[in-house]
Amino acid sequence: MTEFATSADGTRIAYDRQGSGPPVILIDGAMQFRAFDPASVEMAKELARHGFTVFHYDRRGRGESPAEAPITLEQTLDDLRALIAVATEGADDAVALFGSSSGGAIALAAAASGLAVSKLVLWEVPLSAELGTDGAEFLAGLRERIAAGDGDATIEYFMKDMPPEWLAGAKSSPGWPIMTAMGPSLEPDSEALAWTQSAARPALWAGVTQPTLVLVGEQTLDLMGPAADSLVASLPHAIRGTVPAADHAWEPKSMALAIAGFLVG
Protein backbone atom coordinates (compact mmCIF):
# COMPACT_ATOMS: atom_id res chain seq x y z
CA MET A 1 0.00 0.00 0.00
CA THR A 2 1.32 3.42 -0.93
CA GLU A 3 2.40 5.65 1.94
CA PHE A 4 3.59 9.26 1.81
CA ALA A 5 6.43 11.25 3.33
CA THR A 6 6.28 15.04 3.39
CA SER A 7 9.33 16.88 2.09
CA ALA A 8 10.63 20.22 3.35
CA ASP A 9 8.53 22.25 0.91
CA GLY A 10 5.36 20.26 1.57
CA THR A 11 5.60 18.00 -1.49
CA ARG A 12 4.25 14.53 -0.79
CA ILE A 13 6.59 11.70 -1.79
CA ALA A 14 4.91 8.36 -2.43
CA TYR A 15 6.60 5.15 -1.39
CA ASP A 16 6.08 1.45 -0.73
CA ARG A 17 7.49 -0.22 2.37
CA GLN A 18 7.96 -3.98 2.58
CA GLY A 19 9.88 -6.47 4.63
CA SER A 20 11.39 -6.29 8.11
CA GLY A 21 14.96 -5.55 9.08
CA PRO A 22 17.59 -2.86 8.45
CA PRO A 23 16.22 -0.10 6.18
CA VAL A 24 17.24 0.27 2.54
CA ILE A 25 16.01 3.04 0.22
CA LEU A 26 16.03 2.46 -3.54
CA ILE A 27 16.86 5.57 -5.60
CA ASP A 28 15.67 5.19 -9.18
CA GLY A 29 17.58 6.56 -12.13
CA ALA A 30 16.22 8.27 -15.22
CA MET A 31 12.84 7.11 -16.56
CA GLN A 32 12.11 4.95 -13.52
CA PHE A 33 9.27 4.97 -11.04
CA ARG A 34 7.26 2.22 -9.39
CA ALA A 35 4.44 1.89 -11.91
CA PHE A 36 6.84 2.15 -14.87
CA ASP A 37 9.63 -0.17 -13.75
CA PRO A 38 8.55 -3.74 -12.92
CA ALA A 39 12.15 -4.95 -12.57
CA SER A 40 12.81 -2.58 -9.66
CA VAL A 41 9.49 -3.50 -8.04
CA GLU A 42 10.41 -7.19 -8.22
CA MET A 43 13.91 -6.50 -6.93
CA ALA A 44 12.47 -4.63 -3.94
CA LYS A 45 10.35 -7.68 -3.09
CA GLU A 46 13.35 -9.99 -3.40
CA LEU A 47 15.52 -7.74 -1.23
CA ALA A 48 12.81 -7.63 1.42
CA ARG A 49 12.80 -11.44 1.48
CA HIS A 50 16.49 -11.31 2.41
CA GLY A 51 15.65 -9.58 5.70
CA PHE A 52 15.49 -5.85 4.99
CA THR A 53 12.84 -3.16 5.21
CA VAL A 54 12.87 -1.82 1.66
CA PHE A 55 11.57 1.64 0.78
CA HIS A 56 10.88 2.12 -2.94
CA TYR A 57 9.62 5.59 -3.77
CA ASP A 58 8.47 7.66 -6.71
CA ARG A 59 10.94 10.47 -7.15
CA ARG A 60 9.60 14.03 -7.24
CA GLY A 61 7.75 14.70 -10.50
CA ARG A 62 7.08 11.03 -11.22
CA GLY A 63 4.24 8.61 -10.56
CA GLU A 64 2.38 9.42 -7.36
CA SER A 65 4.81 12.20 -6.37
CA PRO A 66 3.67 15.06 -8.64
CA ALA A 67 5.57 18.34 -8.52
CA GLU A 68 5.98 21.44 -10.63
CA ALA A 69 9.14 22.30 -12.53
CA PRO A 70 11.87 23.23 -11.90
CA ILE A 71 12.89 20.15 -9.93
CA THR A 72 16.31 20.45 -8.35
CA LEU A 73 18.90 18.19 -6.76
CA GLU A 74 18.51 20.12 -3.49
CA GLN A 75 14.79 19.29 -3.44
CA THR A 76 15.58 15.68 -4.25
CA LEU A 77 17.93 15.50 -1.26
CA ASP A 78 15.21 17.05 0.90
CA ASP A 79 12.89 14.28 -0.28
CA LEU A 80 15.46 11.67 0.72
CA ARG A 81 15.90 13.36 4.10
CA ALA A 82 12.15 13.01 4.70
CA LEU A 83 12.21 9.34 3.69
CA ILE A 84 15.22 8.65 5.90
CA ALA A 85 13.34 10.20 8.83
CA VAL A 86 10.51 7.73 8.22
CA ALA A 87 12.86 4.79 7.72
CA THR A 88 14.90 5.48 10.86
CA GLU A 89 11.98 6.10 13.18
CA GLY A 90 12.75 3.73 16.04
CA ALA A 91 16.01 1.85 16.56
CA ASP A 92 17.86 2.58 13.32
CA ASP A 93 19.75 5.83 12.88
CA ALA A 94 20.94 5.40 9.28
CA VAL A 95 19.83 3.74 6.08
CA ALA A 96 21.54 2.00 3.21
CA LEU A 97 21.01 3.48 -0.25
CA PHE A 98 20.84 1.64 -3.55
CA GLY A 99 21.30 4.06 -6.46
CA SER A 100 20.48 2.87 -9.96
CA SER A 101 22.37 4.56 -12.81
CA SER A 102 22.03 8.35 -12.39
CA GLY A 103 20.27 7.56 -9.11
CA GLY A 104 23.71 6.44 -7.96
CA ALA A 105 25.01 9.97 -8.42
CA ILE A 106 22.09 11.21 -6.32
CA ALA A 107 22.96 8.62 -3.64
CA LEU A 108 26.54 9.91 -3.62
CA ALA A 109 25.31 13.49 -3.27
CA ALA A 110 23.10 12.41 -0.36
CA ALA A 111 26.03 10.82 1.45
CA ALA A 112 28.30 13.78 0.71
CA SER A 113 25.71 16.21 2.06
CA GLY A 114 25.67 14.47 5.42
CA LEU A 115 22.40 12.55 5.27
CA ALA A 116 22.20 9.56 7.61
CA VAL A 117 23.54 6.89 5.27
CA SER A 118 25.11 3.63 6.48
CA LYS A 119 26.21 1.98 3.22
CA LEU A 120 25.98 2.63 -0.52
CA VAL A 121 25.36 0.30 -3.45
CA LEU A 122 25.83 2.02 -6.81
CA TRP A 123 24.75 0.42 -10.08
CA GLU A 124 26.43 1.57 -13.31
CA VAL A 125 26.64 5.28 -12.56
CA PRO A 126 27.31 6.87 -15.99
CA LEU A 127 30.17 9.16 -14.99
CA SER A 128 32.02 11.20 -17.59
CA ALA A 129 35.66 12.22 -17.26
CA GLU A 130 36.82 13.63 -13.94
CA LEU A 131 36.94 17.45 -13.99
CA GLY A 132 35.24 17.50 -17.39
CA THR A 133 32.77 20.17 -18.45
CA ASP A 134 30.39 18.05 -20.51
CA GLY A 135 28.10 17.38 -17.53
CA ALA A 136 27.51 21.07 -16.87
CA GLU A 137 27.02 21.73 -20.57
CA PHE A 138 24.51 18.88 -20.82
CA LEU A 139 22.64 20.18 -17.76
CA ALA A 140 22.34 23.64 -19.31
CA GLY A 141 20.91 22.19 -22.52
CA LEU A 142 18.45 20.03 -20.61
CA ARG A 143 17.24 22.98 -18.56
CA GLU A 144 16.61 24.97 -21.74
CA ARG A 145 14.37 22.24 -23.10
CA ILE A 146 12.53 21.75 -19.82
CA ALA A 147 11.90 25.50 -19.59
CA ALA A 148 10.54 25.50 -23.15
CA GLY A 149 7.97 22.88 -22.11
CA ASP A 150 8.75 20.54 -25.00
CA GLY A 151 8.51 17.04 -23.58
CA ASP A 152 9.57 15.26 -26.77
CA ALA A 153 12.62 17.48 -27.21
CA THR A 154 13.57 17.04 -23.55
CA ILE A 155 13.66 13.24 -23.74
CA GLU A 156 15.30 13.22 -27.16
CA TYR A 157 18.03 15.47 -25.78
CA PHE A 158 18.44 13.43 -22.60
CA MET A 159 18.88 10.22 -24.62
CA LYS A 160 21.05 11.69 -27.38
CA ASP A 161 24.25 10.00 -26.20
CA MET A 162 22.63 6.63 -25.55
CA PRO A 163 22.58 3.83 -28.14
CA PRO A 164 20.29 5.11 -30.94
CA GLU A 165 18.16 1.98 -30.85
CA TRP A 166 17.18 2.83 -27.27
CA LEU A 167 15.65 6.14 -28.36
CA ALA A 168 13.99 4.56 -31.40
CA GLY A 169 12.48 1.86 -29.22
CA ALA A 170 11.28 4.38 -26.65
CA LYS A 171 9.60 6.59 -29.27
CA SER A 172 7.77 3.63 -30.80
CA SER A 173 6.59 2.27 -27.44
CA PRO A 174 3.35 2.98 -25.57
CA GLY A 175 5.50 4.37 -22.76
CA TRP A 176 6.74 7.38 -24.75
CA PRO A 177 4.03 9.78 -23.44
CA ILE A 178 4.87 8.70 -19.89
CA MET A 179 8.55 9.41 -20.50
CA THR A 180 7.92 12.83 -22.00
CA ALA A 181 5.71 13.76 -19.04
CA MET A 182 8.52 13.06 -16.57
CA GLY A 183 11.04 15.25 -18.41
CA PRO A 184 11.34 17.91 -15.64
CA SER A 185 12.26 15.21 -13.12
CA LEU A 186 15.43 14.44 -15.09
CA GLU A 187 17.08 17.69 -14.01
CA PRO A 188 18.34 16.28 -10.66
CA ASP A 189 19.87 13.30 -12.50
CA SER A 190 21.83 15.62 -14.75
CA GLU A 191 22.63 18.01 -11.91
CA ALA A 192 24.06 15.18 -9.80
CA LEU A 193 26.17 13.90 -12.69
CA ALA A 194 27.48 17.41 -13.37
CA TRP A 195 28.35 17.68 -9.66
CA THR A 196 30.60 14.61 -9.96
CA GLN A 197 32.83 16.68 -12.29
CA SER A 198 32.83 19.82 -10.17
CA ALA A 199 36.08 19.03 -8.32
CA ALA A 200 38.73 16.34 -8.13
CA ARG A 201 36.80 13.27 -7.03
CA PRO A 202 39.00 12.18 -4.11
CA ALA A 203 38.48 15.62 -2.58
CA LEU A 204 34.81 15.83 -3.59
CA TRP A 205 34.06 12.48 -1.95
CA ALA A 206 36.53 12.54 0.95
CA GLY A 207 33.62 12.69 3.37
CA VAL A 208 31.79 9.74 1.81
CA THR A 209 33.34 7.22 4.18
CA GLN A 210 30.51 4.71 4.07
CA PRO A 211 31.33 1.21 2.76
CA THR A 212 30.37 1.27 -0.92
CA LEU A 213 29.76 -1.45 -3.49
CA VAL A 214 30.16 -0.34 -7.12
CA LEU A 215 28.36 -2.73 -9.45
CA VAL A 216 28.58 -3.25 -13.20
CA GLY A 217 26.99 -5.83 -15.46
CA GLU A 218 28.79 -8.79 -16.99
CA GLN A 219 27.99 -7.18 -20.34
CA THR A 220 28.00 -3.41 -20.14
CA LEU A 221 28.38 -0.21 -22.10
CA ASP A 222 31.89 1.04 -22.81
CA LEU A 223 31.71 3.97 -20.39
CA MET A 224 30.60 1.94 -17.36
CA GLY A 225 33.88 0.16 -16.68
CA PRO A 226 35.99 3.35 -16.51
CA ALA A 227 33.23 5.03 -14.49
CA ALA A 228 33.27 2.19 -11.95
CA ASP A 229 37.06 2.35 -11.77
CA SER A 230 36.88 6.09 -11.06
CA LEU A 231 34.40 5.52 -8.25
CA VAL A 232 36.48 2.80 -6.62
CA ALA A 233 39.68 4.85 -6.94
CA SER A 234 38.10 8.03 -5.56
CA LEU A 235 35.89 6.80 -2.71
CA PRO A 236 37.61 6.00 0.59
CA HIS A 237 35.97 2.59 1.15
CA ALA A 238 34.68 1.23 -2.16
CA ILE A 239 34.91 -2.16 -3.84
CA ARG A 240 33.79 -3.27 -7.27
CA GLY A 241 31.44 -6.13 -8.07
CA THR A 242 29.77 -7.71 -11.09
CA VAL A 243 26.23 -8.99 -11.56
CA PRO A 244 24.51 -10.83 -14.42
CA ALA A 245 23.28 -7.97 -16.60
CA ALA A 246 23.46 -6.58 -20.12
CA ASP A 247 22.62 -3.25 -21.79
CA HIS A 248 22.29 -1.45 -18.44
CA ALA A 249 19.49 -3.79 -17.30
CA TRP A 250 19.81 -6.23 -14.41
CA GLU A 251 17.97 -9.35 -13.24
CA PRO A 252 15.99 -8.70 -10.03
CA LYS A 253 16.93 -11.80 -8.03
CA SER A 254 20.64 -11.51 -8.81
CA MET A 255 20.68 -7.80 -7.98
CA ALA A 256 18.82 -8.34 -4.70
CA LEU A 257 21.28 -11.08 -3.72
CA ALA A 258 24.29 -8.88 -4.50
CA ILE A 259 22.89 -5.98 -2.47
CA ALA A 260 21.92 -8.20 0.47
CA GLY A 261 25.29 -9.94 0.55
CA PHE A 262 27.14 -6.64 0.73
CA LEU A 263 24.86 -5.08 3.31
CA VAL A 264 25.01 -8.12 5.57
CA GLY A 265 28.78 -8.45 5.14
Side-chain angles (χ1 to χ4, degrees):
M1 183 178 69
T2 297
E3 300 178 71
F4 294 89
T6 303
S7 193
D9 65 355
T11 299
R12 298 207 321 157
I13 304 299
Y15 67 92
D16 291 329
R17 179 199 329 229
Q18 51 194 317
S20 178
V24 184
I25 295 177
L26 309 185
I27 305 176
D28 288 335
M31 316 297 179
Q32 293 178 304
F33 63 92
R34 292 174 303 156
F36 197 57
D37 184 18
S40 292
V41 171
E42 182 60 28
M43 192 273 281
K45 294 177 182 177
E46 292 292 333
L47 186 54
R49 293 187 185 112
H50 286 296
F52 297 90
T53 303
V54 181
F55 294 80
H56 188 199
Y57 74 107
D58 288 345
R59 282 181 41 199
R60 178 181 291 248
R62 304 179 186 180
E64 293 184 81
S65 302
E68 297 294 326
I71 296 173
T72 67
L73 178 59
E74 182 178 2
Q75 291 171 325
T76 299
L77 297 183
D78 283 341
D79 301 343
L80 272 171
R81 186 175 289 105
L83 286 163
I84 290 172
V86 171
T88 57
E89 187 176 6
D92 294 295
D93 59 3
V95 304
L97 300 180
F98 168 74
S100 176
S101 189
S102 52
I106 293 171
L108 277 170
S113 70
L115 295 190
V117 176
S118 58
K119 292 186 177 182
L120 293 166
V121 181
L122 310 176
W123 159 251
E124 291 198 345
V125 185
L127 300 184
S128 295
E130 185 174 5
L131 296 175
T133 61
D134 54 313
E137 292 162 2
F138 183 91
L139 175 60
L142 182 72
R143 283 172 168 163
E144 288 177 5
R145 286 156 179 82
I146 292 172
D150 190 333
D152 285 9
T154 297
I155 303 304
E156 288 168 357
Y157 179 85
F158 190 84
M159 296 184 69
K160 68 184 181 69
D161 297 322
M162 299 180 188
E165 61 270 20
W166 291 13
L167 177 58
K171 295 184 77 169
S172 63
S173 76
W176 181 249
I178 298 173
M179 295 172 70
T180 58
M182 74 172 85
S185 74
L186 298 174
E187 183 171 334
D189 300 78
S190 299
E191 189 176 352
L193 289 169
W195 165 75
T196 68
Q197 296 180 300
S198 63
R201 286 173 180 157
L204 188 66
W205 298 333
V208 183
T209 57
Q210 292 87 346
T212 301
L213 175 62
V214 179
L215 291 173
V216 294
E218 291 176 347
Q219 300 176 9
T220 190
L221 303 174
D222 289 343
L223 81 159
M224 296 304 179
D229 290 340
S230 181
L231 285 162
V232 172
S234 303
L235 288 163
H237 301 293
I239 60 172
R240 178 168 167 169
T242 304
V243 293
D247 293 329
H248 205 41
W250 36 261
E251 192 279 322
K253 288 186 178 180
S254 298
M255 180 60 82
L257 185 60
I259 296 169
F262 176 72
L263 297 183
V264 170

